[in-house]
Amino acid sequence: MTTTTLRTPRTNPGNPSFGLARTIRLGANRIGYETKVYFRQTDTLFFTFLFPVIMLSIFSVAFQGMGNVGANPDGTGGISQAAFYLPGMIAAGILLSGVQNLGVDIAMERSDGTLKRLGGTPLPVLSYFFGKMGQVFVTSLLQIGLLLLVARFAFDVALPTDPAKWMTFAWVYLLGIATSAVLGIAISRLPRTGRSATAVIIPPVLILQFISGVYLQFSLLPDWLQTVASLFPLKWMAQGMRSVFLPESFATVESGGAWNLGGVAIALLVWLVAGLIVCRVTFRWIRKDS
């Protein structure tokens, strides 16, 4: 008489924990794939990854003849032009990595049929999002590392030594990159075609950089323009980064005469939640009007 032993499968596809593990595993695989594709695109490398580094170098060299920023009447003290522009360029890089990179990339993938093909595969939407957001996280960290290296060794910028400053940097960065990533996914719905993606997304992102304290000193802008900039996240990311890399004396020229890190956190959280809601409501593998 033959006896049959029934074996319990190690993993059960109907188990929610199995589905979550599979989603995370596929998302991790997508991160590697998305990162490789990112670094193979020459235009993306220039206009997203290297752009803040190039702009920091240009501003530092072009304005070094104007002397230090915040110098005393006798010309002593203050900080170099490179040190002054560094936090703004870091904030701009976060915005470019998330909003511009993902906005254009996803719009083009929707237009050329990539998303439609992915929609016909077992790939979960969450795995796709994990891949995109993971790629943004990895490439933005590399970009910031390059910015700090150029600032320190090419322009002799003194970086913070206080651990509290780097803790502030960490939470401002994490909130900023998460907010930028979800807003990039949300804004990818605006272009009707892949060809129009750059024309629709890049100009607003560039304008925000000019009015949010990246290229121009924020306190020198008209009050009404400061108010407009305060409605968008880049202003708050730049302000948070200035609190990390600029001396405390520079807080007096901020709105309200302080860094207002509480306001930075609230503003970024509001935009993060709003972006998540828009993504949840509007994301489709294909456009309804296509």
Side-chain angles (χ1 to χ4, degrees), residues 45-126:
L45 277 179
F46 181 82
F47 289 105
T48 302
F49 187 79
L50 295 176
F51 191 73
V53 179
I54 294 171
M55 295 304 292
L56 174 66
S57 302
I58 291 175
F59 277 86
S60 301
V61 173
F63 296 141
Q64 64 181 351
M66 298 175 62
N68 287 351
V69 181
N72 299 318
D74 61 359
T76 61
I79 59 174
S80 66
Q81 296 289 340
F84 178 74
Y85 280 105
L86 176 62
M89 296 304 169
I90 291 176
I94 294 173
L95 189 78
L96 292 174
S97 296
V99 174
Q100 181 171 304
N101 175 33
L102 287 190
V104 173
D105 193 34
I106 296 175
M108 295 185 70
E109 288 184 348
R110 182 177 288 110
S111 179
D112 65 15
T114 299
L115 290 190
K116 184 178 181 180
R117 290 191 294 273
L118 287 175
T121 69
L123 180 72
V125 175
L126 281 179

Side-chain angles (χ1 to χ4, degrees), residues 208 211 223-232:
L208 280 180
I211 68 173
D223 291 341
W224 68 269
L225 199 52
Q226 292 186 31
T227 302
V228 172
S230 298
L231 299 175
F232 298 95

Side-chain angles (χ1 to χ4, degrees), residues 25-38:
R25 176 174 55 81
L26 291 175
N29 291 337
R30 290 290 300 184
I31 292 174
Y33 169 78
E34 295 285 353
T35 303
K36 290 178 182 178
V37 171
Y38 177 91

Side-chain angles (χ1 to χ4, degrees), residues 16-281:
S17 62
F18 175 82
L20 178 60
R22 175 177 175 273
T23 298
I24 295 174
R25 176 174 55 81
L26 291 175
N29 291 337
R30 290 290 300 184
I31 292 174
Y33 169 78
E34 295 285 353
T35 303
K36 290 178 182 178
V37 171
Y38 177 91
F39 282 110
R40 290 173 181 173
Q41 298 174 345
T42 306
D43 53 346
T44 300
L45 277 179
F46 181 82
F47 289 105
T48 302
F49 187 79
L50 295 176
F51 191 73
V53 179
I54 294 171
M55 295 304 292
L56 174 66
S57 302
I58 291 175
F59 277 86
S60 301
V61 173
F63 296 141
Q64 64 181 351
M66 298 175 62
N68 287 351
V69 181
N72 299 318
D74 61 359
T76 61
I79 59 174
S80 66
Q81 296 289 340
F84 178 74
Y85 280 105
L86 176 62
M89 296 304 169
I90 291 176
I94 294 173
L95 189 78
L96 292 174
S97 296
V99 174
Q100 181 171 304
N101 175 33
L102 287 190
V104 173
D105 193 34
I106 296 175
M108 295 185 70
E109 288 184 348
R110 182 177 288 110
S111 179
D112 65 15
T114 299
L115 290 190
K116 184 178 181 180
R117 290 191 294 273
L118 287 175
T121 69
L123 180 72
V125 175
L126 281 179
S127 297
Y128 176 77
F129 282 165
F130 287 161
K132 289 294 185 184
M133 298 185 74
Q135 174 255 300
V136 166
F137 180 76
V138 171
T139 55
S140 67
L141 278 180
L142 292 175
Q143 181 190 68
I144 290 175
L146 181 59
L147 270 168
L148 294 178
L149 286 173
V150 170
R152 181 67 187 90
F153 295 105
F155 299 105
D156 198 27
V157 174
L159 300 180
T161 56
D162 184 0
K165 292 283 187 180
W166 289 109
M167 289 294 294
T168 300
F169 169 84
W171 71 256
V172 172
Y173 167 75
L174 289 174
L175 266 181
I177 198 63
T179 300
S180 297
V182 297
L183 290 179
I185 296 170
I187 203 174
S188 69
R189 292 291 299 175
L190 294 180
R192 295 185 62 84
T193 67
R195 291 182 178 180
S196 65
T198 55
V200 171
I201 294 173
I202 291 181
V205 171
L206 184 60
I207 291 172
L208 280 180
Q209 292 174 67
F210 275 99
I211 68 173
S212 299
V214 174
Y215 302 137
L216 304 174
Q217 189 170 336
F218 190 73
S219 59
L220 298 180
L221 297 174
D223 291 341
W224 68 269
L225 199 52
Q226 292 186 31
T227 302
V228 172
S230 298
L231 299 175
F232 298 95
L234 180 56
K235 181 265 183 186
W236 299 101
M237 285 189 283
Q239 184 169 316
M241 288 302 173
R242 287 196 294 271
S243 75
V244 174
F245 293 97
L246 299 188
E248 288 299 321
S249 58
F250 279 75
T252 58
V253 300
E254 297 288 338
S255 302
W259 296 125
N260 189 17
L261 292 177
V264 171
I266 292 172
L268 293 180
L269 282 172
V270 168
W271 274 101
L272 176 60
V273 172
L276 287 171
I277 293 173
V278 173
C279 289
R280 179 65 181 85
V281 172

